[in-house]
Amino acid sequence: MIPDGLSSIADHARRRPQALANSAAGESLTYAGLGARAQGLAARLAAAGLGRESLVALALPNGLARAAATLAVLQAGAAYLPLSPNDPPGRLESVLWDSGAELLLAPPELAQHLAAGSWSTWAIQGLEDLPAAGGPLPLPTAAPEDLAYVIYTSGSTGAPKGVEIERGALAQLIAWHQNEYQVTPADRASLLVHPSFDAAVWELWPYWAAGASLHVAPPEARLDPRALRDWLLSERITIAIAATPLAEQLITLPWPAETPLRALLTGGDRLRRRPPAGLPFPLINHYGPTEATVVTTYGAVPPAGEGPPTICRPGPFL
């Protein structure tokens, strides 16, 4: 298997072409559609000379085009740099210069506001701007030490710095997550995390590699716990990842006794609240710096106990 699960995703596109892969804002993408769009863009990237040792920056909105483009970069053998299109142009330019990215994929209106740099820019407005593949492409020969992605820290303690994660580490995260949470093609997972945070990596790859479907939460649901709860229920989400402050609010809300949600995963900040007795799903706390590929410790948080929850037990990299 390709270390980051690309062969698994290609297998789902071949064996279950009409299975749902991704949905956002009323649009959806099957595994066949995802494969075709990603392969088409991967072929264009390869034709432009991008492959191993290349870094492609993605500053696209969190939707179907961004998801397909992320997969395309890895299929081309390159690594991706996730950026937020809402960040100030000055920060984006600084990261692009510092990272040495060779290519930026961004909406036309953002590309127009960025200064010229050493990188090329391809304007992508939506899924229709991604070329569909004419046929299956051979997967890249990837080694575990090849770069998978680069995440830039927030810079809260100084200048933002790029953290390089190899494909072997990503593969280990995928395998651990799928085994720990028993992910199957029947799962429906949420996409809630800010796309430039490392947890967004965790939200994406374990589910696609398992053949599950991913659902992008609407903007209002990311800010309003009640709206998020209602969206999780209406979309029949089975596994969700929410940042700590949001998760702490979600567990205080009333929930139906029977809910499709079978696990709420959280991390990113110190958890200060335990779940109430009777919550119909477990709250699982996670901790890990970006340098350690998202997760280093994890564990279910019991309702009872003295003091705040701990960071639990060692995870996949300890």
Side-chain angles (χ1 to χ4, degrees):
M1 184 176 106
I2 298 294
D4 43 44
L6 295 186
S7 60
S8 297
I9 298 171
D11 189 51
H12 295 307
R14 183 172 57 254
R15 293 170 48 194
R16 304 169 54 247
Q18 299 310 309
L20 180 62
N22 209 182
S23 71
E27 296 183 303
S28 62
L29 200 59
T30 64
Y31 270 93
L34 172 66
R37 294 295 183 178
Q39 289 173 13
L41 181 56
R44 185 181 172 192
L45 292 170
L50 297 163
R52 295 180 71 179
E53 308 300 325
S54 299
L55 184 63
V56 178
L58 306 176
L60 301 170
N62 205 3
L64 302 186
R66 184 184 185 107
T70 304
L71 177 57
V73 173
L74 289 187
Q75 285 187 329
Y80 68 96
L81 168 62
L83 301 173
S84 171
N86 297 322
D87 281 349
R91 173 182 163 85
L92 293 175
E93 292 163 8
S94 175
V95 169
L96 288 167
W97 278 112
D98 184 73
S99 68
E102 297 177 45
L103 176 67
L104 168 67
L105 305 184
E109 62 274 15
L110 175 59
Q112 292 172 2
H113 286 88
L114 294 175
S118 58
W119 57 90
S120 301
T121 300
W122 292 356
I124 294 179
Q125 188 65 55
L127 198 63
E128 65 279 359
D129 296 321
L130 301 184
L137 296 176
L139 292 173
T141 303
E145 62 271 17
D146 285 349
L147 196 61
Y149 63 87
V150 176
I151 296 279
Y152 268 75
T153 60
S154 63
S156 57
T157 58
K161 66 174 182 176
V163 177
E164 299 179 335
I165 299 299
E166 297 176 345
R167 293 191 178 214
L170 175 58
Q172 191 171 349
L173 176 70
I174 292 171
W176 168 80
H177 184 94
Q178 289 180 334
N179 180 69
E180 182 64 30
Y181 297 110
Q182 296 297 292
V183 183
T184 75
D187 276 306
R188 297 170 62 88
S190 62
L191 283 174
L192 283 168
V193 178
H194 192 282
S196 62
F197 289 172
D198 67 335
V201 172
W202 184 33
E203 273 192 314
L204 182 65
W205 299 111
Y207 300 100
W208 270 353
S213 60
L214 289 160
H215 304 262
V216 179
E220 61 272 16
R222 299 176 191 178
L223 302 174
D224 182 346
R226 290 183 178 274
L228 177 55
R229 176 202 58 188
D230 295 344
W231 178 81
L232 291 170
L233 292 171
S234 67
E235 290 293 318
R236 306 186 312 281
I237 300 299
T238 59
I239 305 178
I241 299 173
T244 306
L246 187 54
E248 288 179 328
Q249 296 178 74
L250 281 173
I251 62 176
T252 66
L253 297 176
W255 289 81
E258 294 185 2
T259 171
L261 189 65
R262 61 183 182 86
L264 176 61
L265 317 184
T266 190
D269 204 343
R270 182 179 180 184
L271 183 65
R272 301 176 184 274
R273 179 175 290 170
R274 294 178 181 271
L279 192 70
F281 50 81
L283 174 68
I284 318 249
N285 193 25
H286 300 76
Y287 167 79
T290 303
E291 293 84 349
T293 319
V294 188
V295 176
T296 51
T297 66
Y298 75 106
V301 181
E306 296 183 0
T310 69
I311 60 173
C312 306
R313 64 183 184 275
F317 296 94
L318 293 178

PDB file of all heavy atoms in Angstrom, residues 9-28:
ATOM      1  N   ILE A   9      -7.820   4.633  -1.464  1.00  0.00           N
ATOM      2  CA  ILE A   9      -8.787   5.554  -2.054  1.00  0.00           C
ATOM      3  C   ILE A   9      -9.049   5.179  -3.512  1.00  0.00           C
ATOM      4  O   ILE A   9     -10.195   5.165  -3.968  1.00  0.00           O
ATOM      5  CB  ILE A   9      -8.277   6.999  -1.940  1.00  0.00           C
ATOM      6  CG1 ILE A   9      -8.111   7.383  -0.463  1.00  0.00           C
ATOM      7  CG2 ILE A   9      -9.240   7.969  -2.624  1.00  0.00           C
ATOM      8  CD1 ILE A   9      -7.411   8.710  -0.239  1.00  0.00           C
ATOM      9  N   ALA A  10      -7.994   4.859  -4.247  1.00  0.00           N
ATOM     10  CA  ALA A  10      -8.162   4.434  -5.639  1.00  0.00           C
ATOM     11  C   ALA A  10      -8.979   3.159  -5.723  1.00  0.00           C
ATOM     12  O   ALA A  10      -9.796   2.991  -6.643  1.00  0.00           O
ATOM     13  CB  ALA A  10      -6.786   4.239  -6.285  1.00  0.00           C
ATOM     14  N   ASP A  11      -8.794   2.272  -4.749  1.00  0.00           N
ATOM     15  CA  ASP A  11      -9.550   1.018  -4.734  1.00  0.00           C
ATOM     16  C   ASP A  11     -11.031   1.286  -4.501  1.00  0.00           C
ATOM     17  O   ASP A  11     -11.888   0.655  -5.125  1.00  0.00           O
ATOM     18  CB  ASP A  11      -8.992   0.105  -3.644  1.00  0.00           C
ATOM     19  CG  ASP A  11      -9.567  -1.297  -3.710  1.00  0.00           C
ATOM     20  OD1 ASP A  11      -9.538  -1.894  -4.803  1.00  0.00           O
ATOM     21  OD2 ASP A  11     -10.059  -1.789  -2.683  1.00  0.00           O
ATOM     22  N   HIS A  12     -11.363   2.219  -3.616  1.00  0.00           N
ATOM     23  CA  HIS A  12     -12.769   2.565  -3.384  1.00  0.00           C
ATOM     24  C   HIS A  12     -13.388   3.159  -4.644  1.00  0.00           C
ATOM     25  O   HIS A  12     -14.536   2.857  -4.980  1.00  0.00           O
ATOM     26  CB  HIS A  12     -12.894   3.558  -2.225  1.00  0.00           C
ATOM     27  CG  HIS A  12     -12.471   3.003  -0.905  1.00  0.00           C
ATOM     28  ND1 HIS A  12     -12.979   1.823  -0.395  1.00  0.00           N
ATOM     29  CD2 HIS A  12     -11.587   3.452   0.017  1.00  0.00           C
ATOM     30  CE1 HIS A  12     -12.416   1.571   0.780  1.00  0.00           C
ATOM     31  NE2 HIS A  12     -11.568   2.544   1.047  1.00  0.00           N
ATOM     32  N   ALA A  13     -12.642   3.993  -5.368  1.00  0.00           N
ATOM     33  CA  ALA A  13     -13.153   4.587  -6.596  1.00  0.00           C
ATOM     34  C   ALA A  13     -13.424   3.518  -7.652  1.00  0.00           C
ATOM     35  O   ALA A  13     -14.357   3.653  -8.456  1.00  0.00           O
ATOM     36  CB  ALA A  13     -12.163   5.614  -7.131  1.00  0.00           C
ATOM     37  N   ARG A  14     -12.635   2.473  -7.631  1.00  0.00           N
ATOM     38  CA  ARG A  14     -12.792   1.400  -8.611  1.00  0.00           C
ATOM     39  C   ARG A  14     -13.917   0.430  -8.219  1.00  0.00           C
ATOM     40  O   ARG A  14     -14.731   0.045  -9.056  1.00  0.00           O
ATOM     41  CB  ARG A  14     -11.469   0.645  -8.748  1.00  0.00           C
ATOM     42  CG  ARG A  14     -11.476  -0.458  -9.798  1.00  0.00           C
ATOM     43  CD  ARG A  14     -10.088  -1.020 -10.006  1.00  0.00           C
ATOM     44  NE  ARG A  14      -9.501  -1.537  -8.761  1.00  0.00           N
ATOM     45  CZ  ARG A  14      -8.539  -0.927  -8.068  1.00  0.00           C
ATOM     46  NH1 ARG A  14      -8.053   0.233  -8.490  1.00  0.00           N
ATOM     47  NH2 ARG A  14      -8.067  -1.465  -6.962  1.00  0.00           N
ATOM     48  N   ARG A  15     -13.995   0.073  -6.948  1.00  0.00           N
ATOM     49  CA  ARG A  15     -14.947  -0.953  -6.501  1.00  0.00           C
ATOM     50  C   ARG A  15     -16.295  -0.372  -6.092  1.00  0.00           C
ATOM     51  O   ARG A  15     -17.312  -1.043  -6.202  1.00  0.00           O
ATOM     52  CB  ARG A  15     -14.346  -1.732  -5.330  1.00  0.00           C
ATOM     53  CG  ARG A  15     -13.139  -2.585  -5.713  1.00  0.00           C
ATOM     54  CD  ARG A  15     -12.443  -3.134  -4.485  1.00  0.00           C
ATOM     55  NE  ARG A  15     -13.379  -3.724  -3.540  1.00  0.00           N
ATOM     56  CZ  ARG A  15     -13.073  -4.033  -2.281  1.00  0.00           C
ATOM     57  NH1 ARG A  15     -11.864  -3.767  -1.813  1.00  0.00           N
ATOM     58  NH2 ARG A  15     -13.973  -4.570  -1.488  1.00  0.00           N
ATOM     59  N   ARG A  16     -16.305   0.883  -5.624  1.00  0.00           N
ATOM     60  CA  ARG A  16     -17.545   1.494  -5.158  1.00  0.00           C
ATOM     61  C   ARG A  16     -17.666   2.896  -5.755  1.00  0.00           C
ATOM     62  O   ARG A  16     -17.677   3.891  -5.037  1.00  0.00           O
ATOM     63  CB  ARG A  16     -17.550   1.563  -3.624  1.00  0.00           C
ATOM     64  CG  ARG A  16     -17.344   0.228  -2.941  1.00  0.00           C
ATOM     65  CD  ARG A  16     -17.085   0.339  -1.441  1.00  0.00           C
ATOM     66  NE  ARG A  16     -18.097   1.096  -0.749  1.00  0.00           N
ATOM     67  CZ  ARG A  16     -17.881   2.285  -0.172  1.00  0.00           C
ATOM     68  NH1 ARG A  16     -16.685   2.856  -0.226  1.00  0.00           N
ATOM     69  NH2 ARG A  16     -18.858   2.912   0.456  1.00  0.00           N
ATOM     70  N   PRO A  17     -17.723   2.992  -7.077  1.00  0.00           N
ATOM     71  CA  PRO A  17     -17.627   4.303  -7.731  1.00  0.00           C
ATOM     72  C   PRO A  17     -18.734   5.273  -7.330  1.00  0.00           C
ATOM     73  O   PRO A  17     -18.510   6.487  -7.308  1.00  0.00           O
ATOM     74  CB  PRO A  17     -17.695   3.972  -9.225  1.00  0.00           C
ATOM     75  CG  PRO A  17     -18.341   2.626  -9.289  1.00  0.00           C
ATOM     76  CD  PRO A  17     -17.888   1.902  -8.064  1.00  0.00           C
ATOM     77  N   GLN A  18     -19.934   4.794  -7.035  1.00  0.00           N
ATOM     78  CA  GLN A  18     -21.051   5.687  -6.714  1.00  0.00           C
ATOM     79  C   GLN A  18     -21.194   5.963  -5.226  1.00  0.00           C
ATOM     80  O   GLN A  18     -22.115   6.676  -4.819  1.00  0.00           O
ATOM     81  CB  GLN A  18     -22.357   5.098  -7.275  1.00  0.00           C
ATOM     82  CG  GLN A  18     -22.356   4.943  -8.794  1.00  0.00           C
ATOM     83  CD  GLN A  18     -21.915   6.219  -9.493  1.00  0.00           C
ATOM     84  OE1 GLN A  18     -22.433   7.300  -9.224  1.00  0.00           O
ATOM     85  NE2 GLN A  18     -20.946   6.094 -10.409  1.00  0.00           N
ATOM     86  N   ALA A  19     -20.305   5.436  -4.406  1.00  0.00           N
ATOM     87  CA  ALA A  19     -20.348   5.708  -2.969  1.00  0.00           C
ATOM     88  C   ALA A  19     -19.992   7.169  -2.721  1.00  0.00           C
ATOM     89  O   ALA A  19     -19.126   7.741  -3.388  1.00  0.00           O
ATOM     90  CB  ALA A  19     -19.388   4.787  -2.222  1.00  0.00           C
ATOM     91  N   LEU A  20     -20.649   7.768  -1.747  1.00  0.00           N
ATOM     92  CA  LEU A  20     -20.413   9.175  -1.436  1.00  0.00           C
ATOM     93  C   LEU A  20     -19.044   9.352  -0.786  1.00  0.00           C
ATOM     94  O   LEU A  20     -18.714   8.682   0.183  1.00  0.00           O
ATOM     95  CB  LEU A  20     -21.505   9.688  -0.484  1.00  0.00           C
ATOM     96  CG  LEU A  20     -21.401  11.151  -0.050  1.00  0.00           C
ATOM     97  CD1 LEU A  20     -21.520  12.079  -1.255  1.00  0.00           C
ATOM     98  CD2 LEU A  20     -22.462  11.472   0.998  1.00  0.00           C
ATOM     99  N   ALA A  21     -18.265  10.288  -1.324  1.00  0.00           N
ATOM    100  CA  ALA A  21     -16.945  10.593  -0.767  1.00  0.00           C
ATOM    101  C   ALA A  21     -16.948  11.895   0.010  1.00  0.00           C
ATOM    102  O   ALA A  21     -16.303  12.008   1.058  1.00  0.00           O
ATOM    103  CB  ALA A  21     -15.896  10.658  -1.877  1.00  0.00           C
ATOM    104  N   ASN A  22     -17.658  12.911  -0.502  1.00  0.00           N
ATOM    105  CA  ASN A  22     -17.572  14.248   0.079  1.00  0.00           C
ATOM    106  C   ASN A  22     -18.857  15.012  -0.226  1.00  0.00           C
ATOM    107  O   ASN A  22     -19.419  14.876  -1.324  1.00  0.00           O
ATOM    108  CB  ASN A  22     -16.375  14.981  -0.529  1.00  0.00           C
ATOM    109  CG  ASN A  22     -15.753  16.013   0.383  1.00  0.00           C
ATOM    110  OD1 ASN A  22     -14.817  16.688  -0.014  1.00  0.00           O
ATOM    111  ND2 ASN A  22     -16.242  16.172   1.599  1.00  0.00           N
ATOM    112  N   SER A  23     -19.320  15.819   0.723  1.00  0.00           N
ATOM    113  CA  SER A  23     -20.450  16.698   0.468  1.00  0.00           C
ATOM    114  C   SER A  23     -20.177  18.044   1.114  1.00  0.00           C
ATOM    115  O   SER A  23     -19.520  18.124   2.156  1.00  0.00           O
ATOM    116  CB  SER A  23     -21.761  16.111   1.005  1.00  0.00           C
ATOM    117  OG  SER A  23     -21.784  16.135   2.425  1.00  0.00           O
ATOM    118  N   ALA A  24     -20.674  19.110   0.479  1.00  0.00           N
ATOM    119  CA  ALA A  24     -20.491  20.468   0.988  1.00  0.00           C
ATOM    120  C   ALA A  24     -21.495  21.390   0.324  1.00  0.00           C
ATOM    121  O   ALA A  24     -21.629  21.372  -0.908  1.00  0.00           O
ATOM    122  CB  ALA A  24     -19.071  20.964   0.718  1.00  0.00           C
ATOM    123  N   ALA A  25     -22.189  22.175   1.136  1.00  0.00           N
ATOM    124  CA  ALA A  25     -23.093  23.220   0.639  1.00  0.00           C
ATOM    125  C   ALA A  25     -24.060  22.697  -0.420  1.00  0.00           C
ATOM    126  O   ALA A  25     -24.273  23.334  -1.459  1.00  0.00           O
ATOM    127  CB  ALA A  25     -22.286  24.390   0.087  1.00  0.00           C
ATOM    128  N   GLY A  26     -24.633  21.529  -0.175  1.00  0.00           N
ATOM    129  CA  GLY A  26     -25.617  20.992  -1.098  1.00  0.00           C
ATOM    130  C   GLY A  26     -25.040  20.269  -2.291  1.00  0.00           C
ATOM    131  O   GLY A  26     -25.798  19.715  -3.101  1.00  0.00           O
ATOM    132  N   GLU A  27     -23.720  20.260  -2.446  1.00  0.00           N
ATOM    133  CA  GLU A  27     -23.070  19.533  -3.541  1.00  0.00           C
ATOM    134  C   GLU A  27     -22.456  18.245  -2.995  1.00  0.00           C
ATOM    135  O   GLU A  27     -22.169  18.137  -1.804  1.00  0.00           O
ATOM    136  CB  GLU A  27     -21.981  20.378  -4.185  1.00  0.00           C
ATOM    137  CG  GLU A  27     -22.479  21.632  -4.874  1.00  0.00           C
ATOM    138  CD  GLU A  27     -21.344  22.376  -5.553  1.00  0.00           C
ATOM    139  OE1 GLU A  27     -20.369  22.730  -4.865  1.00  0.00           O
ATOM    140  OE2 GLU A  27     -21.434  22.570  -6.777  1.00  0.00           O
ATOM    141  N   SER A  28     -22.271  17.288  -3.860  1.00  0.00           N
ATOM    142  CA  SER A  28     -21.668  16.023  -3.425  1.00  0.00           C
ATOM    143  C   SER A  28     -20.735  15.486  -4.493  1.00  0.00           C
ATOM    144  O   SER A  28     -20.822  15.861  -5.669  1.00  0.00           O
ATOM    145  CB  SER A  28     -22.754  14.987  -3.099  1.00  0.00           C
ATOM    146  OG  SER A  28     -23.526  14.695  -4.244  1.00  0.00           O
TER     147      SER A  28
END
